[in-house]
Amino acid sequence: VELSRSFYMGKYPVTQGLWESVMGSNPSHFKGSTRPVEKVSWLDCVAFCNKLSEKEGLEKAYTINGQEVDCNFDSEGYRLPTESEWEYCSRSGESFIYSGSDSCGEVGWTRENSGKETHPVGQKKCNGFGLCDMSGNVFEWVWDWYGGYSSTSERDPTGPSRGLNRVYRGGSFYCCVLDARVATRGWDNPSIRVNLHGFRLLRTIR
């Protein structure tokens, strides 16, 4: 995979404090302003991205018509990373099993050490790009519909054009360390809201 667009990636998953400052409410099960927001659907996340872009005077990345969503990946507004962008950032030029370490406990909250609840962001070691919580704490929604990987080289892939489920990455507080590996994929209905799912912001640099 070749990524041609430069971008900013959020150092942390979106926190409950940021979500509430934009949306005016907090849907999360495990409350705490510095904990990652959860119980947000994929559709909730793209709506948040547009609202934050509007608040900051940026061109919105998404055109939303009910459950139909189109993305302008060249917009400077906030958006979800593509699956390829997310994995590039999670690997951060390193060859670790997890994002920043071969020991998941160094970098992430999973079933083994979380007490089965989320934790404030940034408490664990960051990866080589300075990004935290990319293994564990909450799964992170990404743009792509779920589908098989291409067997050929691709430039800026954005996944299948249609599908039933959207991809999430990164492991969670409730799941085992295997789910927190940089290579692990998960997928779910874009309308579902559970306390395992959060997200991270990205902005294209023009």
Side-chain angles (χ1 to χ4, degrees):
V1 169
E2 178 189 354
L3 299 178
S4 68
R5 283 184 292 265
S6 297
F7 56 84
Y8 297 112
M9 171 74 84
K11 182 172 184 176
Y12 310 112
V14 170
T15 62
Q16 294 172 36
L18 177 57
W19 179 277
E20 192 164 2
S21 73
V22 174
M23 305 300 278
S25 61
N26 182 3
S28 305
H29 176 73
F30 300 106
K31 300 295 187 187
S33 63
T34 59
R35 294 190 188 205
V37 70
E38 21 90 358
K39 292 193 76 175
V40 287
S41 70
W42 184 93
L43 290 164
D44 293 334
C45 295
V46 296
F48 172 90
C49 289
N50 269 5
K51 195 161 185 178
L52 181 58
S53 296
E54 188 173 35
K55 185 176 181 180
E56 296 191 5
L58 300 169
E59 177 190 4
K60 291 185 280 191
Y62 296 115
T63 302
I64 303 171
N65 182 16
Q67 296 199 0
E68 294 291 320
V69 181
D70 292 314
C71 183
N72 174 6
F73 294 98
D74 292 320
S75 163
E76 288 187 297
Y78 293 98
R79 61 179 176 86
L80 297 176
T82 66
E83 188 172 10
S84 295
E85 289 167 337
W86 189 96
E87 186 165 331
Y88 170 78
C89 288
S90 183
R91 292 185 180 276
S92 65
E94 301 171 322
S95 56
F96 294 125
I97 298 170
Y98 308 101
S99 184
S101 179
D102 284 330
S103 170
C104 191
E106 272 195 304
V107 293
W109 298 106
T110 60
R111 179 186 297 172
E112 289 76 7
N113 65 354
S114 70
K116 294 188 178 177
E117 62 179 276
T118 62
H119 289 258
V121 300
Q123 292 191 332
K124 295 287 188 176
K125 176 186 170 186
C126 296
N127 71 13
F129 286 168
L131 306 175
C132 301
D133 295 278
M134 295 201 79
S135 287
N137 220 355
V138 288
F139 287 118
E140 298 181 11
W141 289 113
V142 296
W143 164 259
D144 304 40
W145 290 107
Y146 173 72
Y149 286 141
S150 171
S151 60
T152 60
S153 297
E154 290 189 286
R155 180 185 175 96
D156 299 321
T158 57
S161 58
R162 294 284 176 199
L164 296 175
N165 296 299
R166 295 284 185 174
V167 176
Y168 57 79
R169 301 293 299 263
S172 80
F173 70 90
Y174 188 77
C175 298
C176 69
V177 294
L178 290 175
D179 290 320
R181 294 174 302 155
V182 292
T184 301
R185 313 170 77 199
W187 55 92
D188 220 327
N189 186 288
S191 298
I192 196 170
R193 296 185 180 103
V194 294
N195 61 17
L196 303 178
H197 293 155
F199 68 113
R200 189 177 300 255
L201 294 170
L202 182 144
R203 278 184 60 198
T204 299
I205 302 170
R206 286 206 303 244

PDB file of all heavy atoms in Angstrom, residues 13-38 48 118-119 121:
ATOM      1  N   PRO A  13      -7.393   8.602  21.318  1.00  0.00           N
ATOM      2  CA  PRO A  13      -8.789   8.483  20.889  1.00  0.00           C
ATOM      3  C   PRO A  13      -9.576   9.708  21.354  1.00  0.00           C
ATOM      4  O   PRO A  13      -9.182  10.374  22.328  1.00  0.00           O
ATOM      5  CB  PRO A  13      -9.281   7.219  21.615  1.00  0.00           C
ATOM      6  CG  PRO A  13      -8.072   6.512  22.099  1.00  0.00           C
ATOM      7  CD  PRO A  13      -6.996   7.536  22.252  1.00  0.00           C
ATOM      8  N   VAL A  14     -10.652  10.019  20.694  1.00  0.00           N
ATOM      9  CA  VAL A  14     -11.505  11.136  21.106  1.00  0.00           C
ATOM     10  C   VAL A  14     -11.997  10.889  22.531  1.00  0.00           C
ATOM     11  O   VAL A  14     -12.527   9.823  22.841  1.00  0.00           O
ATOM     12  CB  VAL A  14     -12.686  11.314  20.141  1.00  0.00           C
ATOM     13  CG1 VAL A  14     -13.710  12.308  20.685  1.00  0.00           C
ATOM     14  CG2 VAL A  14     -12.186  11.758  18.775  1.00  0.00           C
ATOM     15  N   THR A  15     -11.805  11.871  23.393  1.00  0.00           N
ATOM     16  CA  THR A  15     -12.199  11.737  24.794  1.00  0.00           C
ATOM     17  C   THR A  15     -13.657  12.151  24.988  1.00  0.00           C
ATOM     18  O   THR A  15     -14.254  12.845  24.148  1.00  0.00           O
ATOM     19  CB  THR A  15     -11.327  12.604  25.702  1.00  0.00           C
ATOM     20  OG1 THR A  15     -11.514  13.981  25.343  1.00  0.00           O
ATOM     21  CG2 THR A  15      -9.848  12.223  25.588  1.00  0.00           C
ATOM     22  N   GLN A  16     -14.182  11.774  26.139  1.00  0.00           N
ATOM     23  CA  GLN A  16     -15.543  12.168  26.473  1.00  0.00           C
ATOM     24  C   GLN A  16     -15.656  13.680  26.623  1.00  0.00           C
ATOM     25  O   GLN A  16     -16.675  14.276  26.266  1.00  0.00           O
ATOM     26  CB  GLN A  16     -15.982  11.462  27.754  1.00  0.00           C
ATOM     27  CG  GLN A  16     -16.102   9.962  27.594  1.00  0.00           C
ATOM     28  CD  GLN A  16     -16.357   9.243  28.891  1.00  0.00           C
ATOM     29  OE1 GLN A  16     -17.062   9.746  29.771  1.00  0.00           O
ATOM     30  NE2 GLN A  16     -15.794   8.042  29.036  1.00  0.00           N
ATOM     31  N   GLY A  17     -14.596  14.303  27.140  1.00  0.00           N
ATOM     32  CA  GLY A  17     -14.613  15.755  27.281  1.00  0.00           C
ATOM     33  C   GLY A  17     -14.734  16.467  25.952  1.00  0.00           C
ATOM     34  O   GLY A  17     -15.522  17.417  25.814  1.00  0.00           O
ATOM     35  N   LEU A  18     -13.971  16.008  24.947  1.00  0.00           N
ATOM     36  CA  LEU A  18     -14.047  16.616  23.617  1.00  0.00           C
ATOM     37  C   LEU A  18     -15.406  16.348  22.991  1.00  0.00           C
ATOM     38  O   LEU A  18     -16.027  17.255  22.422  1.00  0.00           O
ATOM     39  CB  LEU A  18     -12.930  16.078  22.723  1.00  0.00           C
ATOM     40  CG  LEU A  18     -12.928  16.568  21.279  1.00  0.00           C
ATOM     41  CD1 LEU A  18     -12.872  18.087  21.200  1.00  0.00           C
ATOM     42  CD2 LEU A  18     -11.786  15.946  20.487  1.00  0.00           C
ATOM     43  N   TRP A  19     -15.883  15.114  23.096  1.00  0.00           N
ATOM     44  CA  TRP A  19     -17.184  14.772  22.513  1.00  0.00           C
ATOM     45  C   TRP A  19     -18.277  15.668  23.091  1.00  0.00           C
ATOM     46  O   TRP A  19     -19.082  16.244  22.362  1.00  0.00           O
ATOM     47  CB  TRP A  19     -17.505  13.301  22.772  1.00  0.00           C
ATOM     48  CG  TRP A  19     -18.833  12.883  22.226  1.00  0.00           C
ATOM     49  CD1 TRP A  19     -20.060  13.049  22.814  1.00  0.00           C
ATOM     50  CD2 TRP A  19     -19.091  12.259  20.964  1.00  0.00           C
ATOM     51  NE1 TRP A  19     -21.059  12.563  22.020  1.00  0.00           N
ATOM     52  CE2 TRP A  19     -20.481  12.070  20.868  1.00  0.00           C
ATOM     53  CE3 TRP A  19     -18.261  11.824  19.919  1.00  0.00           C
ATOM     54  CZ2 TRP A  19     -21.069  11.472  19.770  1.00  0.00           C
ATOM     55  CZ3 TRP A  19     -18.857  11.222  18.813  1.00  0.00           C
ATOM     56  CH2 TRP A  19     -20.241  11.051  18.743  1.00  0.00           C
ATOM     57  N   GLU A  20     -18.288  15.795  24.406  1.00  0.00           N
ATOM     58  CA  GLU A  20     -19.350  16.571  25.050  1.00  0.00           C
ATOM     59  C   GLU A  20     -19.266  18.045  24.686  1.00  0.00           C
ATOM     60  O   GLU A  20     -20.296  18.716  24.527  1.00  0.00           O
ATOM     61  CB  GLU A  20     -19.267  16.392  26.565  1.00  0.00           C
ATOM     62  CG  GLU A  20     -20.489  16.908  27.307  1.00  0.00           C
ATOM     63  CD  GLU A  20     -20.574  16.395  28.736  1.00  0.00           C
ATOM     64  OE1 GLU A  20     -19.666  15.663  29.181  1.00  0.00           O
ATOM     65  OE2 GLU A  20     -21.585  16.733  29.395  1.00  0.00           O
ATOM     66  N   SER A  21     -18.049  18.576  24.497  1.00  0.00           N
ATOM     67  CA  SER A  21     -17.898  19.988  24.132  1.00  0.00           C
ATOM     68  C   SER A  21     -18.448  20.275  22.738  1.00  0.00           C
ATOM     69  O   SER A  21     -18.825  21.405  22.440  1.00  0.00           O
ATOM     70  CB  SER A  21     -16.421  20.392  24.210  1.00  0.00           C
ATOM     71  OG  SER A  21     -15.671  19.834  23.140  1.00  0.00           O
ATOM     72  N   VAL A  22     -18.483  19.248  21.898  1.00  0.00           N
ATOM     73  CA  VAL A  22     -18.981  19.416  20.528  1.00  0.00           C
ATOM     74  C   VAL A  22     -20.448  19.027  20.411  1.00  0.00           C
ATOM     75  O   VAL A  22     -21.248  19.730  19.788  1.00  0.00           O
ATOM     76  CB  VAL A  22     -18.129  18.586  19.538  1.00  0.00           C
ATOM     77  CG1 VAL A  22     -18.716  18.633  18.130  1.00  0.00           C
ATOM     78  CG2 VAL A  22     -16.690  19.077  19.528  1.00  0.00           C
ATOM     79  N   MET A  23     -20.829  17.911  21.025  1.00  0.00           N
ATOM     80  CA  MET A  23     -22.159  17.334  20.833  1.00  0.00           C
ATOM     81  C   MET A  23     -23.144  17.693  21.948  1.00  0.00           C
ATOM     82  O   MET A  23     -24.351  17.503  21.792  1.00  0.00           O
ATOM     83  CB  MET A  23     -22.056  15.815  20.712  1.00  0.00           C
ATOM     84  CG  MET A  23     -21.095  15.348  19.624  1.00  0.00           C
ATOM     85  SD  MET A  23     -21.537  15.914  17.966  1.00  0.00           S
ATOM     86  CE  MET A  23     -22.784  14.702  17.513  1.00  0.00           C
ATOM     87  N   GLY A  24     -22.623  18.151  23.089  1.00  0.00           N
ATOM     88  CA  GLY A  24     -23.512  18.586  24.166  1.00  0.00           C
ATOM     89  C   GLY A  24     -24.026  17.488  25.065  1.00  0.00           C
ATOM     90  O   GLY A  24     -24.851  17.737  25.949  1.00  0.00           O
ATOM     91  N   SER A  25     -23.578  16.263  24.864  1.00  0.00           N
ATOM     92  CA  SER A  25     -24.004  15.134  25.697  1.00  0.00           C
ATOM     93  C   SER A  25     -22.892  14.099  25.698  1.00  0.00           C
ATOM     94  O   SER A  25     -21.956  14.168  24.902  1.00  0.00           O
ATOM     95  CB  SER A  25     -25.299  14.516  25.163  1.00  0.00           C
ATOM     96  OG  SER A  25     -25.109  14.023  23.844  1.00  0.00           O
ATOM     97  N   ASN A  26     -23.007  13.125  26.595  1.00  0.00           N
ATOM     98  CA  ASN A  26     -21.983  12.088  26.720  1.00  0.00           C
ATOM     99  C   ASN A  26     -22.651  10.717  26.774  1.00  0.00           C
ATOM    100  O   ASN A  26     -23.269  10.368  27.782  1.00  0.00           O
ATOM    101  CB  ASN A  26     -21.145  12.332  27.978  1.00  0.00           C
ATOM    102  CG  ASN A  26     -20.029  11.317  28.149  1.00  0.00           C
ATOM    103  OD1 ASN A  26     -19.826  10.445  27.318  1.00  0.00           O
ATOM    104  ND2 ASN A  26     -19.304  11.410  29.247  1.00  0.00           N
ATOM    105  N   PRO A  27     -22.527   9.928  25.704  1.00  0.00           N
ATOM    106  CA  PRO A  27     -23.215   8.633  25.660  1.00  0.00           C
ATOM    107  C   PRO A  27     -22.486   7.508  26.393  1.00  0.00           C
ATOM    108  O   PRO A  27     -23.004   6.401  26.487  1.00  0.00           O
ATOM    109  CB  PRO A  27     -23.246   8.337  24.157  1.00  0.00           C
ATOM    110  CG  PRO A  27     -21.972   8.949  23.639  1.00  0.00           C
ATOM    111  CD  PRO A  27     -21.792  10.211  24.454  1.00  0.00           C
ATOM    112  N   SER A  28     -21.286   7.755  26.906  1.00  0.00           N
ATOM    113  CA  SER A  28     -20.399   6.689  27.370  1.00  0.00           C
ATOM    114  C   SER A  28     -20.941   5.958  28.599  1.00  0.00           C
ATOM    115  O   SER A  28     -21.602   6.550  29.461  1.00  0.00           O
ATOM    116  CB  SER A  28     -19.015   7.244  27.694  1.00  0.00           C
ATOM    117  OG  SER A  28     -18.483   7.925  26.581  1.00  0.00           O
ATOM    118  N   HIS A  29     -20.600   4.689  28.687  1.00  0.00           N
ATOM    119  CA  HIS A  29     -20.964   3.869  29.853  1.00  0.00           C
ATOM    120  C   HIS A  29     -20.016   4.135  31.015  1.00  0.00           C
ATOM    121  O   HIS A  29     -20.447   4.322  32.152  1.00  0.00           O
ATOM    122  CB  HIS A  29     -20.928   2.386  29.471  1.00  0.00           C
ATOM    123  CG  HIS A  29     -21.181   1.464  30.617  1.00  0.00           C
ATOM    124  ND1 HIS A  29     -22.429   1.306  31.181  1.00  0.00           N
ATOM    125  CD2 HIS A  29     -20.350   0.654  31.332  1.00  0.00           C
ATOM    126  CE1 HIS A  29     -22.366   0.438  32.178  1.00  0.00           C
ATOM    127  NE2 HIS A  29     -21.106   0.027  32.297  1.00  0.00           N
ATOM    128  N   PHE A  30     -18.712   4.147  30.743  1.00  0.00           N
ATOM    129  CA  PHE A  30     -17.701   4.397  31.769  1.00  0.00           C
ATOM    130  C   PHE A  30     -17.356   5.890  31.754  1.00  0.00           C
ATOM    131  O   PHE A  30     -16.611   6.350  30.906  1.00  0.00           O
ATOM    132  CB  PHE A  30     -16.440   3.561  31.503  1.00  0.00           C
ATOM    133  CG  PHE A  30     -16.686   2.081  31.494  1.00  0.00           C
ATOM    134  CD1 PHE A  30     -16.695   1.375  30.293  1.00  0.00           C
ATOM    135  CD2 PHE A  30     -16.901   1.380  32.673  1.00  0.00           C
ATOM    136  CE1 PHE A  30     -16.911   0.006  30.276  1.00  0.00           C
ATOM    137  CE2 PHE A  30     -17.118   0.014  32.661  1.00  0.00           C
ATOM    138  CZ  PHE A  30     -17.130  -0.681  31.464  1.00  0.00           C
ATOM    139  N   LYS A  31     -17.915   6.638  32.690  1.00  0.00           N
ATOM    140  CA  LYS A  31     -17.815   8.097  32.632  1.00  0.00           C
ATOM    141  C   LYS A  31     -16.443   8.601  33.091  1.00  0.00           C
ATOM    142  O   LYS A  31     -15.836   8.049  34.010  1.00  0.00           O
ATOM    143  CB  LYS A  31     -18.887   8.736  33.506  1.00  0.00           C
ATOM    144  CG  LYS A  31     -20.321   8.401  33.110  1.00  0.00           C
ATOM    145  CD  LYS A  31     -20.696   8.943  31.746  1.00  0.00           C
ATOM    146  CE  LYS A  31     -22.197   8.714  31.475  1.00  0.00           C
ATOM    147  NZ  LYS A  31     -22.580   9.066  30.117  1.00  0.00           N
ATOM    148  N   GLY A  32     -15.989   9.671  32.440  1.00  0.00           N
ATOM    149  CA  GLY A  32     -14.736  10.329  32.791  1.00  0.00           C
ATOM    150  C   GLY A  32     -14.283  11.199  31.643  1.00  0.00           C
ATOM    151  O   GLY A  32     -14.152  10.704  30.507  1.00  0.00           O
ATOM    152  N   SER A  33     -14.035  12.472  31.880  1.00  0.00           N
ATOM    153  CA  SER A  33     -13.765  13.396  30.776  1.00  0.00           C
ATOM    154  C   SER A  33     -12.512  13.037  29.993  1.00  0.00           C
ATOM    155  O   SER A  33     -12.402  13.357  28.804  1.00  0.00           O
ATOM    156  CB  SER A  33     -13.646  14.835  31.305  1.00  0.00           C
ATOM    157  OG  SER A  33     -12.547  14.948  32.193  1.00  0.00           O
ATOM    158  N   THR A  34     -11.537  12.360  30.632  1.00  0.00           N
ATOM    159  CA  THR A  34     -10.306  11.989  29.923  1.00  0.00           C
ATOM    160  C   THR A  34     -10.307  10.535  29.466  1.00  0.00           C
ATOM    161  O   THR A  34      -9.323  10.061  28.922  1.00  0.00           O
ATOM    162  CB  THR A  34      -9.066  12.248  30.798  1.00  0.00           C
ATOM    163  OG1 THR A  34      -9.157  11.488  32.007  1.00  0.00           O
ATOM    164  CG2 THR A  34      -8.944  13.730  31.129  1.00  0.00           C
ATOM    165  N   ARG A  35     -11.407   9.840  29.714  1.00  0.00           N
ATOM    166  CA  ARG A  35     -11.543   8.486  29.160  1.00  0.00           C
ATOM    167  C   ARG A  35     -12.011   8.603  27.712  1.00  0.00           C
ATOM    168  O   ARG A  35     -12.652   9.597  27.333  1.00  0.00           O
ATOM    169  CB  ARG A  35     -12.559   7.667  29.943  1.00  0.00           C
ATOM    170  CG  ARG A  35     -12.166   7.355  31.370  1.00  0.00           C
ATOM    171  CD  ARG A  35     -13.128   6.347  31.960  1.00  0.00           C
ATOM    172  NE  ARG A  35     -12.932   6.143  33.382  1.00  0.00           N
ATOM    173  CZ  ARG A  35     -13.269   5.030  34.020  1.00  0.00           C
ATOM    174  NH1 ARG A  35     -13.843   4.027  33.355  1.00  0.00           N
ATOM    175  NH2 ARG A  35     -13.077   4.905  35.318  1.00  0.00           N
ATOM    176  N   PRO A  36     -11.745   7.584  26.889  1.00  0.00           N
ATOM    177  CA  PRO A  36     -12.250   7.638  25.505  1.00  0.00           C
ATOM    178  C   PRO A  36     -13.766   7.586  25.479  1.00  0.00           C
ATOM    179  O   PRO A  36     -14.383   6.885  26.294  1.00  0.00           O
ATOM    180  CB  PRO A  36     -11.633   6.397  24.841  1.00  0.00           C
ATOM    181  CG  PRO A  36     -11.258   5.497  25.976  1.00  0.00           C
ATOM    182  CD  PRO A  36     -10.957   6.371  27.143  1.00  0.00           C
ATOM    183  N   VAL A  37     -14.368   8.342  24.585  1.00  0.00           N
ATOM    184  CA  VAL A  37     -15.802   8.229  24.403  1.00  0.00           C
ATOM    185  C   VAL A  37     -16.104   6.846  23.827  1.00  0.00           C
ATOM    186  O   VAL A  37     -15.330   6.298  23.036  1.00  0.00           O
ATOM    187  CB  VAL A  37     -16.338   9.352  23.485  1.00  0.00           C
ATOM    188  CG1 VAL A  37     -15.895   9.176  22.032  1.00  0.00           C
ATOM    189  CG2 VAL A  37     -17.847   9.469  23.573  1.00  0.00           C
ATOM    190  N   GLU A  38     -17.214   6.256  24.246  1.00  0.00           N
ATOM    191  CA  GLU A  38     -17.664   4.971  23.705  1.00  0.00           C
ATOM    192  C   GLU A  38     -19.190   4.966  23.642  1.00  0.00           C
ATOM    193  O   GLU A  38     -19.812   5.978  23.945  1.00  0.00           O
ATOM    194  CB  GLU A  38     -17.111   3.772  24.515  1.00  0.00           C
ATOM    195  CG  GLU A  38     -16.657   4.049  25.930  1.00  0.00           C
ATOM    196  CD  GLU A  38     -17.771   3.872  26.960  1.00  0.00           C
ATOM    197  OE1 GLU A  38     -18.904   3.569  26.580  1.00  0.00           O
ATOM    198  OE2 GLU A  38     -17.503   4.067  28.162  1.00  0.00           O
ATOM    199  N   PHE A  48     -20.007  13.597  14.198  1.00  0.00           N
ATOM    200  CA  PHE A  48     -19.142  14.373  15.090  1.00  0.00           C
ATOM    201  C   PHE A  48     -18.036  15.063  14.286  1.00  0.00           C
ATOM    202  O   PHE A  48     -17.748  16.246  14.522  1.00  0.00           O
ATOM    203  CB  PHE A  48     -18.529  13.451  16.140  1.00  0.00           C
ATOM    204  CG  PHE A  48     -17.468  14.106  16.986  1.00  0.00           C
ATOM    205  CD1 PHE A  48     -17.802  14.745  18.168  1.00  0.00           C
ATOM    206  CD2 PHE A  48     -16.133  14.093  16.600  1.00  0.00           C
ATOM    207  CE1 PHE A  48     -16.830  15.360  18.952  1.00  0.00           C
ATOM    208  CE2 PHE A  48     -15.151  14.705  17.368  1.00  0.00           C
ATOM    209  CZ  PHE A  48     -15.507  15.343  18.545  1.00  0.00           C
ATOM    210  N   THR A 118     -12.769   1.009  30.722  1.00  0.00           N
ATOM    211  CA  THR A 118     -11.845   1.913  30.024  1.00  0.00           C
ATOM    212  C   THR A 118     -10.998   2.685  31.030  1.00  0.00           C
ATOM    213  O   THR A 118     -11.322   2.750  32.214  1.00  0.00           O
ATOM    214  CB  THR A 118     -12.600   2.908  29.135  1.00  0.00           C
ATOM    215  OG1 THR A 118     -13.441   3.719  29.951  1.00  0.00           O
ATOM    216  CG2 THR A 118     -13.430   2.188  28.074  1.00  0.00           C
ATOM    217  N   HIS A 119      -9.927   3.285  30.525  1.00  0.00           N
ATOM    218  CA  HIS A 119      -9.029   4.072  31.363  1.00  0.00           C
ATOM    219  C   HIS A 119      -8.742   5.408  30.679  1.00  0.00           C
ATOM    220  O   HIS A 119      -8.835   5.511  29.447  1.00  0.00           O
ATOM    221  CB  HIS A 119      -7.724   3.314  31.595  1.00  0.00           C
ATOM    222  CG  HIS A 119      -7.891   2.135  32.513  1.00  0.00           C
ATOM    223  ND1 HIS A 119      -7.520   2.161  33.835  1.00  0.00           N
ATOM    224  CD2 HIS A 119      -8.425   0.904  32.293  1.00  0.00           C
ATOM    225  CE1 HIS A 119      -7.800   0.993  34.391  1.00  0.00           C
ATOM    226  NE2 HIS A 119      -8.349   0.216  33.483  1.00  0.00           N
ATOM    227  N   VAL A 121      -7.006   8.282  28.708  1.00  0.00           N
ATOM    228  CA  VAL A 121      -6.056   8.143  27.606  1.00  0.00           C
ATOM    229  C   VAL A 121      -4.660   8.576  28.044  1.00  0.00           C
ATOM    230  O   VAL A 121      -4.498   9.365  28.986  1.00  0.00           O
ATOM    231  CB  VAL A 121      -6.504   8.948  26.367  1.00  0.00           C
ATOM    232  CG1 VAL A 121      -7.869   8.472  25.881  1.00  0.00           C
ATOM    233  CG2 VAL A 121      -6.526  10.445  26.656  1.00  0.00           C
TER     234      VAL A 121
END
